[in-house]
Every structure is written in C-alpha cells, then in structure tokens.
C-alpha cells in the first residue's frame, strides 16, 4: 500500500509537469527579455503593412468586380461557372472531370481557367478549356 502512494504521488507530479505550460497567462516564454519582444515587434511591422496593403487591394477589387467567387473544394469550380454551363451547354448533365485554376483578378473581372469534358453533337466526350470572367456574380467567356 505504501508503494501505491508513491506511485500515485509520482503520477501527480508527472501530470503537473506536463501541464505546466498551460498555466501561463500568455503564451510567451517567461525567459524572453523585453528587448527580444521589441525586436520581434519591429520585424512584424513590415509584414502587417504588406497584409494591410493586400487587404486594401482586394477591397478595391471587390468594389469594382463584386465579391470574389470561391470554387468548390474538390474541383475549384465557382458556382457562377456552373450556372453559366447550365444555361449555355446543350447537354449540361454530361459534364465530367471539371477543374478550374485559381481565381485571380483580371482587367475585366475575376478570371479562372477551367478544363472540362462535355458531350458534343456526336455524343462523344470532348475536352474543352475556357477562360471565364466573373463580374458581379455573372460568369462569361
């Protein structure tokens, strides 16, 4: 019974030692000096300027072209392109292996390049690649 007490006490100490980093109020290392913190803050200033500049540019583009469209996770195809295909393709249910590249800002709107297979008039699948321009929620070639 005496050994059990020592084992439980050792397990308690081990648990306290493992969870010790969770006790600190901030996630900073207590051994960092104020000089180190000042150097780190000065290094982060240019990064925040770049991030704020990118955010400002994206806001300007969203005002000009509408909100940036997002593609499906698995294929990268924006929903606006699916709507375009449903309206313009002769057999919209015959789409296969559709993939789109990243959505970037262009001169006329948000642009993406999509590769897809669709049935043609002979009933065979045809590989196509088009550049789509999305502006204010509407896709066009």
């Amino acid at each position: 019974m005496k050994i059990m007490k020592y084992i439980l006490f050792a397990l308690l100490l081990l648990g306290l030692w493992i969870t010790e980093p969770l006790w600190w109020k901030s996630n900073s290392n207590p051994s960092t000096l104020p000089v180190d913190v000042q150097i780190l803050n000065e290094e982060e200033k240019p990064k925040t300027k770049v991030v704020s500049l990118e955010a400002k540019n994206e806001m300007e583009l969203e005002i000009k072209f509408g909100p940036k469209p997002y593609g499906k996770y698995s294929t990268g195809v924006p929903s606006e392109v699916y709507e375009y295909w449903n309206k313009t393709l002769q057999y919209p249910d015959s789409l296969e292996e559709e993939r789109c590249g990243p959505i970037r800002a262009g001169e006329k709107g948000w642009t993406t390049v999509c590769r897809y297979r669709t049935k043609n008039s002979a009933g065979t699948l045809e590989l196509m690649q088009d550049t789509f321009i999305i502006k204010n929620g509407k896709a066009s070639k």
Side-chain angles (χ1 to χ4, degrees):
M1 199 63 172
K2 211 175 201 182
I3 292 176
M4 276 308 253
K5 289 180 185 177
Y6 287 121
I7 292 174
L8 288 174
F9 184 69
L11 288 174
L12 176 69
L13 288 177
L14 179 67
L16 291 173
W17 180 69
I18 290 173
T19 60
E20 184 261 340
L22 300 174
W23 304 343
W24 294 102
K25 291 182 181 175
S26 66
N27 289 336
S28 63
N29 188 354
S31 64
T32 53
L33 299 172
V35 174
D36 294 338
V37 173
Q38 182 180 0
I39 290 172
L40 289 174
N41 288 340
E42 289 177 7
E43 288 176 355
E44 297 228 355
K45 285 180 184 177
K47 292 178 188 175
T48 56
K49 286 181 183 176
V50 169
V51 169
S52 65
L53 183 61
E54 289 176 359
K56 181 180 174 187
N57 288 341
E58 184 146 341
M59 284 179 57
E60 290 174 359
L61 290 170
E62 286 186 352
I63 291 170
K64 188 175 179 182
F65 302 134
K68 183 177 181 180
Y70 292 98
K72 283 188 174 181
Y73 176 75
S74 58
T75 61
V77 181
S79 60
E80 293 87 354
V81 174
Y82 278 118
E83 291 173 12
Y84 178 82
W85 282 334
N86 286 332
K87 290 178 185 175
T88 59
L89 289 178
Q90 188 175 6
Y91 304 105
D93 296 336
S94 67
L95 279 172
E96 286 187 12
E97 298 181 23
E98 59 269 359
R99 293 257 180 223
C100 287
I103 299 169
R104 297 193 173 110
E107 294 177 8
K108 298 178 182 177
W110 302 105
T111 61
T112 185
V113 177
C114 297
R115 296 183 83 181
Y116 56 98
R117 293 183 188 269
T118 185
K119 280 187 184 176
N120 58 15
S121 59
T124 59
L125 289 175
E126 181 180 1
L127 179 65
M128 302 182 73
Q129 179 173 333
D130 291 318
T131 301
F132 291 96
I133 298 170
I134 302 169
K135 187 172 182 180
N136 295 324
K138 302 289 182 188
S140 61
K141 284 188 181 180

